[in-house]
Amino acid sequence: MDLDSMQRILEQSLADNKPIWQIALEEDMANRMVTREASMEKMRRTWRAMVDSADSYSGERRSLSGLVGGDGERMRLYYANHESIGGSFTAEVMASALAMGENNACMKRIVAAPTAGSCGVMPAVLIPLWRKEGIPEEMMLQALYVTCAIGSVIATRASISGAAGGCQAEVGAASAMAAGALTYLHGGTGEQICHAVAISLKNLLGLVCDPVAGLVEVPCVKRNVIGAMNAIAAADMALAGVESRIPVDEVIDAMGDVGRRLPVEFRETALGGLAATPTGKAVKERMQKNRKRRRTLTIKDMRWKLTTAPARETKE
Amino acid sequence: MIDIFDILGPVMVGPSSSHTAGAVRIGAMGRTLLGGTPVKARLHLHGSFADTGVGHGTDKALIAGLLGMKPDDLEIPNSFAHAEQQGLEFTFDEVDLKNAHPNTVAMELTASDGHTLSLQACSIGGGRIRVTMLDGVAVSFTGAYNTLIIHNKDDRGSIADVTTTLSRARVNIAYMSLSRSARGGNAIMIIETDEKIPPVVLQFLKEFAGIIHLTYYEKEDE
Ligand code: SF4
C-alpha cells in the first residue's frame, strides 16, 4: 500500500492485526525489491550511524562560518553541575539535539531525518530514551520504521523540504516522526501514535525557514531542541489519552497548505525572518566578502553547443 | 513511490543534503562519466550554489566527489588537500546560467589522457541530483538507476540494436531518452535500467557500428 494516509495505515493495521512498523517494513520490501533481512539490515546501519554520530560529538568544533559549535557541551556541563529546570533527562535531550545539529553544521557524518537541518530531533529523543530504559535494538528499529511511515505520509501529502514548505516541513516533520516513535516505544496504540503526530505537527504549524546567510546553522541547530521537546510533550499527551480534535491527515494537509502559501522569503531563501535582521544581514555580508565577482557564462566559454531538440522522455 | 530511506537518510556528511551530499554525488557522476579522476577541473557555480556554497562546503563536496568519495566520507572537508596529493588541479568561479535550477554547477573536466567532458547538473533536494547537459547536449537523468550513456550516430537501427541487446541480456529498461544536436548528426541515448549491466554486454554494445562512445554509471551501492 502507498504510505500516503495515516488514517489508511491505521485502518490497515487494525484490519490485518499488524503493527504500523510492519506495514512500513513490507512497503520497503516491495518498493525496493529486497528481503526482510536486507531491509532490517539497512535500518540497523541507519540506527547505528545515528548513535555513532551522537557519540562522536566534540564541543571543540566550529562550523565553516564560525557561528555554531560548543552548545551541546555547554548544555551537558550545565546539567551535570546544576539542577536543571526540566530535570536531567530533558536536559540530555536538549544537549543531544544541539550536539547533532552542530555535528551537521561542522561537516560531520549525520543521518538526515528527514533532512540534514532537522537531523537532531529524532536521535535527541530516541538515543537518551534507549540508554535510560535499556530498550532492545530490535525495538528501536521498529520505532524507526514507524517514523518512516509518518515521514512518507507527510512527504506525500505535504512536504519535508524547507524550500517548499518552511521549517514546519523540516523540524515540524522531524518532531512528528519522533513523537510517533516515542509513543510506540512506550506502548501506545496506533490511534495514539496518530494523535501524537497530529498534536506535534499542529504545535509547529507555520514555522518559517529563515536560515541566516542561507546556512544550516542559525536558527536550525536550536530549532532541533524545540522539535525534540515538542515530540516528548506530544507523545506524553497522546499516551495520557489526550486527543487531537483535528484528524491527523487533515493536520498534515493543513501543513502542506500553509507551506504552499508561505511567501518565498520564508522558504529557505534567507530573505526574511531571522535572516533579514540587521545581525543576520551582517553575517551574510561577512560571508560574502571573499567571493569572486560573478560573470555571465557564455556558450563560447564552455565550449558547448546549443541543442535544437530538447530531451524527450519515453517510458518503456 | 517514496523510498523510506530517503525519509530516514541518507547517511551523509553535513550540513546540507542539497548543497553538500548532492554536490558530492554530482562530482562523483562527473568522475564516472569521465572514466576516472580528472587532472583538471573547471567548476562554475550557479545560483544558490554560488551564493551559499562556501558556507555549505559545496566546493569541497564537489571536489570530494571528483576524487571518488561518497557523501558520508568524513574526509570531505579535507578534499582540497587530497586533490593536491592526487594531482587534481581545479578552479571555481561563479556564473549565471539562464533558466537553470538554483543549485546548479557546470563542470569542464580533463582526464589524464587529455580527453574532456563537460557536464551540467543540479541538486534537486534530499541529496538527489539530475544531470541536465552533457557535452553540449540537453539530457535528463538522475543516477538513481544504473545508467547507460551512449553517443551514437543518429541513424536508423542504433536504438533497436541497443534495446534488443539489453532485453536479451534480461536487463529491464526503466526509462529511456534520446537527445540530438541536429538531425542526422550525433545523438545521446540515455538508458536507465533496473538491473546492473554485465561487462560483457557493455563490451558487446561497443562493437555496434553506430555507436561512437559508451559510458556506464552504476548506481551507488546500498
Ligand atoms: S530553518 Fe530552514 S534550513 Fe534551518 S532547519 Fe528549519 S527548514 Fe531547515
Side-chain angles (χ1 to χ4, degrees):
Chain A
M1 73 179 289
D2 285 354
L3 302 173
D4 58 3
S5 154
M6 288 307 295
Q7 184 58 36
R8 290 224 345 255
I9 293 173
L10 179 62
E11 280 163 11
Q12 178 95 25
S13 151
L14 295 173
D16 299 355
N17 199 15
K18 224 185 246 173
I20 290 175
W21 67 263
Q22 199 175 332
I23 293 176
L25 166 66
E26 285 168 9
E27 182 51 38
D28 182 45
M29 291 161 56
N31 188 33
R32 292 192 302 124
M33 297 183 281
V34 295
T35 62
R36 187 189 171 89
E37 289 68 36
S39 177
M40 288 289 236
E41 210 27 60
K42 188 161 184 188
M43 194 58 91
R44 192 183 311 277
R45 283 204 305 275
T46 304
W47 165 247
R48 290 189 179 166
M50 262 184 193
V51 175
D52 285 347
S53 183
D55 290 347
S56 73
Y57 173 72
S58 152
E60 320 248 288
R61 293 187 197 119
R62 294 296 175 270
S63 64
L64 287 173
S65 73
L67 289 177
V68 160
D71 285 345
E73 181 161 296
R74 202 161 282 129
M75 194 67 207
R76 287 202 170 110
L77 276 174
Y78 160 72
Y79 85 77
N81 299 314
H82 301 81
E83 184 69 30
S84 81
I85 297 168
S88 64
F89 179 73
T90 55
E92 174 52 26
V93 167
M94 289 189 252
S96 301
L98 292 169
M100 193 61 85
E102 291 176 11
N103 275 352
N104 181 57
C106 299
M107 296 191 82
K108 290 293 148 189
R109 194 184 284 139
I110 55 96
V111 179
T115 61
S118 59
C119 72
V121 174
M122 289 197 4
V125 297
L126 294 181
I127 296 173
L129 191 78
W130 169 63
R131 294 219 154 109
K132 181 170 87 138
E133 300 183 354
I135 302 168
E137 189 178 55
E138 290 311 303
M139 195 158 173
M140 298 311 294
L141 303 188
Q142 293 168 4
L144 290 184
Y145 279 105
V146 173
T147 72
C148 288
I150 297 164
S152 298
V153 174
I154 296 176
T156 312
R157 301 182 80 98
S159 161
I160 55 164
S161 139
C167 202
Q168 54 165 6
E170 291 202 7
V171 169
S175 190
M177 290 159 71
L182 289 176
T183 309
Y184 172 73
L185 289 170
H186 265 216
T189 62
E191 279 100 339
Q192 286 173 326
I193 290 174
C194 288
H195 285 301
V197 170
I199 292 169
S200 55
L201 209 50
K202 287 196 296 187
N203 289 353
L204 293 175
L205 208 66
L207 192 63
V208 299
C209 171
D210 51 353
V212 168
L215 303 176
V216 193
E217 301 191 6
V218 178
C220 317
V221 169
K222 295 185 192 86
R223 275 201 187 142
N224 278 279
V225 176
I226 195 59
M229 297 301 287
N230 180 51
I232 293 177
D236 266 338
M237 277 190 260
L239 288 162
V242 175
E243 296 187 346
S244 171
R245 296 291 173 228
I246 310 291
V248 58
D249 286 337
E250 291 182 33
V251 172
I252 296 171
D253 291 344
M255 190 272 264
D257 181 49
V258 170
R260 278 186 294 277
R261 291 211 241 166
L262 270 186
V264 69
E265 285 81 1
F266 301 119
R267 287 188 275 118
E268 214 177 270
T269 52
L271 296 171
L274 298 169
T277 56
T279 304
K281 285 190 198 153
V283 172
K284 182 171 179 184
E285 250 161 56
R286 185 161 58 73
M287 293 295 296
Q288 301 280 18
K289 263 204 186 127
N290 304 330
R291 277 175 64 178
K292 297 195 194 88
R293 207 155 47 84
R294 189 182 298 209
R295 70 198 171 102
T296 302
L297 196 67
T298 65
I299 294 156
K300 208 180 89 217
D301 281 334
M302 303 290 295
R303 303 193 300 265
W304 284 0
K305 297 165 290 175
L306 260 190
T307 52
T308 44
R312 297 192 301 265
E313 256 185 46
T314 48
K315 173 116 173 84
E316 269 273 291
Chain B
M1 195 56 245
I2 290 176
D3 180 345
I4 63 167
F5 291 102
D6 281 338
I7 303 288
L8 200 57
V11 179
M12 55 168 271
V13 161
S16 159
S17 55
S18 54
H19 287 66
T20 320
V24 177
R25 290 213 172 113
I26 290 175
M29 176 62 83
R31 170 196 168 88
T32 309
L33 299 185
L34 185 71
T37 307
V39 291
K40 232 186 245 162
R42 296 172 62 196
L43 298 101
H44 314 284
L45 303 174
H46 165 83
S48 172
F49 265 17
D51 291 335
T52 65
V54 172
H56 282 130
T58 304
D59 46 0
K60 294 175 175 165
L62 286 164
I63 297 299
L66 287 174
L67 295 173
M69 293 186 202
K70 295 264 157 58
D72 70 342
D73 197 315
L74 284 169
E75 283 301 306
I76 290 168
N78 309 322
S79 67
F80 287 3
H82 287 273
E84 204 178 324
Q85 281 163 21
Q86 296 181 38
L88 162 59
E89 257 175 59
F90 61 87
T91 59
F92 278 98
D93 60 14
E94 297 182 8
V95 295
D96 277 317
L97 298 164
K98 286 221 172 66
N99 299 328
H101 185 283
N103 300 329
T104 295
V105 59
M107 307 194 284
E108 297 169 277
L109 309 175
T110 309
S112 54
D113 66 2
H115 82 270
T116 59
L117 173 90
S118 64
L119 170 98
Q120 184 177 314
C122 54
S123 179
I124 55 179
R128 284 162 301 143
I129 65 165
R130 178 178 297 282
V131 179
T132 53
M133 188 88 88
L134 198 61
D135 286 332
V137 179
V139 295
S140 174
F141 61 95
T142 62
Y145 293 88
N146 303 305
T147 309
L148 194 57
I149 297 136
I150 298 177
H151 293 248
N152 61 299
K153 294 206 189 97
D154 191 13
D155 35 61
R156 242 162 278 192
S158 298
I159 298 169
D161 283 347
V162 174
T163 52
T164 314
T165 307
L166 289 178
S167 87
R168 291 236 173 90
R170 299 190 179 283
V171 173
N172 187 44
I173 296 176
Y175 295 96
M176 173 166 174
S177 71
L178 306 164
S179 328
R180 59 188 177 193
S181 19
R183 191 180 294 276
N186 291 345
I188 292 188
M189 208 187 300
I190 310 282
I191 298 177
E192 303 184 273
T193 68
D194 291 326
E195 292 84 12
K196 292 180 179 173
I197 305 177
V200 296
V201 176
L202 294 172
Q203 199 51 49
F204 187 72
L205 285 170
K206 280 185 191 158
E207 308 289 314
F208 285 121
I211 289 175
I212 303 163
H213 184 65
L214 176 150
T215 351
Y216 174 56
Y217 173 87
E218 198 157 281
K219 85 170 182 199
E220 244 175 65
D221 258 336
E222 312 255 294

